[in-house]
Amino acid sequence: MIELDVRKLLCPLPVIRVQQAIKTLKPGDILCVTATDPGVLHDIPAWCRIHGHRILTTRKLERELQIEIEVQA
């Protein structure tokens, strides 16, 4: 699992960082994104749907959000 820390970044930067990270990964890899911007709960899943990647889990922690993405071909 690859960790991506986008805490304290606001839209659209978390999605841009996810896009950059996924370009370096292979199908089947898991990207775990940790964010503080609540907008990622909508923006990252929408981006994944458009680009064919799969959301595995979404977790709300105390002040952070975690989204696990499975990279697809």
Side-chain angles (χ1 to χ4, degrees):
M1 183 177 311
I2 294 85
E3 303 280 336
L4 178 63
D5 183 353
V6 294
R7 287 178 276 210
K8 298 185 181 176
L9 297 180
L10 300 176
C11 181
L13 289 175
V15 174
I16 291 169
R17 298 283 168 84
V18 166
Q19 183 176 16
Q20 291 170 338
I22 285 180
K23 286 180 183 178
T24 68
L25 303 176
K26 301 176 297 209
D29 285 347
I30 307 296
L31 179 65
C32 181
V33 182
T34 303
T36 50
D37 179 5
V40 301
L41 292 175
H42 170 69
D43 297 343
I44 290 176
W47 183 88
C48 286
R49 277 191 302 278
I50 291 168
H51 295 280
H53 304 293
R54 189 166 73 117
I55 299 291
L56 299 177
T57 62
T58 301
R59 290 187 208 96
K60 291 183 182 183
L61 308 172
E62 275 190 39
R63 294 184 180 166
E64 298 176 345
L65 307 161
Q66 282 189 337
I67 301 174
E68 289 184 6
I69 303 167
E70 181 180 11
V71 178
Q72 304 293 309

